[in-house]
Amino acid sequence: VEEVVYDTKAYATDERDVKKTAYVYLPYGYSEEKEYNILYLMHGTGDDEKYWLKTNPYNKTMLDNMIADGDIEPLIVVTPTFYVEDDCADDLDQLTYSFAKELRNDLMPEIESVYSTYAKSADDEGFAESRDHRAFAGLSRGAVTMYHSALCQSLDYFSWFGAFSGSRTDRTALKIPFRQAILQNCQFIICMWQAATLILPAGQVQDYQALLDIEPRLRSGVNTCFDVFPMRYHSMGNW
């Protein structure tokens, strides 16, 4: 796991210059002679870029073992943060939208000009041509960042998406980008909720139904499912 410091801007506020840190997981035997799929993985509220790989290092061990056992192909994982110093403390959701500019303008060019991905060049053309080898996922407010910054603003760069325990986003805002994503054969893993009790909150059922309403090609029990895992809660143990 390597630390990367990069230059960006406070896009949600005054666009001042700032430096930020991200962490990069490289698979065992990483070689610049190979091309790797890449996952950008976001934390939730109150955490930081260290959360997935440093604060909870067993995630790194899990990746190592899954690759060694052949369950997944070797990949690069990048864990950034949506926080920008102390900006937007009273309205963090602004950061879930503005992160798109940081992602596209600064983070991706910095990472993919250094590490070997399927992008032939670390620019618009290279990212667009390699989008099928790039994923964005997050938990809680990180999942909201996925919706707002990756799905809604960077569909040209990504075709794999994961949302874990994400706050609900108005379906009218998601309808067009979500349908575009389905048309382009994008892949989704959406874990809407985890239960602390056996009581199923109606809001999550409504969210699931909203997805089916947005895109008629999603059919419950065929290519879409709603699963409940009891006795879990909003924690790394579930994610």
Side-chain angles (χ1 to χ4, degrees), residues 2-237:
E2 299 187 352
E3 179 182 283
V4 174
V5 177
Y6 62 99
D7 295 317
T8 184
K9 295 182 181 294
Y11 289 109
T13 54
D14 57 5
E15 295 203 354
R16 69 189 182 279
D17 293 335
V18 296
K19 286 190 178 293
K20 292 183 61 175
T21 301
Y23 286 87
V24 180
Y25 167 87
L26 299 177
Y28 180 78
Y30 169 81
S31 170
E32 294 182 358
E33 303 303 315
K34 299 179 181 179
E35 296 175 321
Y36 295 89
N37 294 321
I38 187 167
L39 164 65
Y40 291 83
L41 185 59
M42 186 65 78
H43 61 83
T45 304
D47 289 302
D48 58 24
E49 63 273 15
K50 297 179 181 179
Y51 184 73
W52 283 101
L53 299 173
K54 292 293 211 177
T55 307
N56 296 283
Y58 45 76
N59 287 315
K60 176 191 175 298
T61 303
M62 179 176 64
L63 284 168
D64 291 340
N65 288 332
M66 292 179 72
I67 292 170
D69 292 343
D71 296 323
I72 60 174
E73 296 179 3
L75 81 160
I76 297 170
V77 180
V78 182
T79 61
T81 179
F82 52 75
Y83 286 112
V84 181
E85 297 179 341
D86 296 323
D87 287 7
C88 305
D90 295 330
D91 184 9
L92 292 176
D93 275 344
Q94 291 186 58
L95 302 176
T96 68
Y97 291 97
S98 63
F99 185 76
K101 292 182 178 179
E102 176 182 329
L103 175 68
R104 297 172 65 92
N105 298 340
D106 309 314
L107 179 61
M108 287 178 60
E110 175 70 25
I111 295 296
E112 300 197 39
S113 64
V114 174
Y115 298 101
S116 182
T117 68
Y118 280 85
K120 302 302 183 184
S121 56
D123 55 21
D124 287 342
E125 182 179 2
F127 296 144
E129 290 179 350
S130 59
R131 62 186 292 270
D132 289 342
H133 297 278
R134 190 173 297 105
F136 195 109
L139 66 90
S140 196
R141 187 166 263 112
V144 179
T145 304
M146 182 282 287
Y147 285 127
H148 292 169
S149 281
L151 176 61
C152 291
Q153 299 187 66
S154 303
L155 188 56
D156 54 335
Y157 286 2
F158 293 86
S159 66
W160 299 79
F161 302 92
F164 314 128
S165 310
S167 301
R168 292 190 292 276
T169 299
D170 184 79
R171 64 174 163 178
T172 58
L174 290 179
K175 183 174 182 178
I176 292 177
F178 191 79
R179 295 198 71 177
Q180 288 176 336
I182 296 297
L183 285 170
Q184 296 176 25
N185 296 316
C186 293
Q187 303 295 314
F188 290 85
I189 298 174
I190 302 176
C191 171
M192 288 185 171
W193 170 74
Q194 62 278 60
T197 70
L198 293 176
I199 301 172
L200 187 64
Q204 304 303 328
V205 178
Q206 293 170 1
D207 284 350
Y208 179 59
Q209 186 59 50
L211 286 177
L212 300 180
D213 293 342
I214 286 173
E215 178 47 67
R217 284 168 296 184
L218 296 180
R219 291 177 292 166
S220 185
V222 178
N223 57 11
T224 312
C225 65
F226 186 96
D227 297 314
V228 177
F229 298 91
M231 307 314 295
R232 290 288 192 177
Y233 60 102
H234 203 69
S235 73
M236 181 58 75

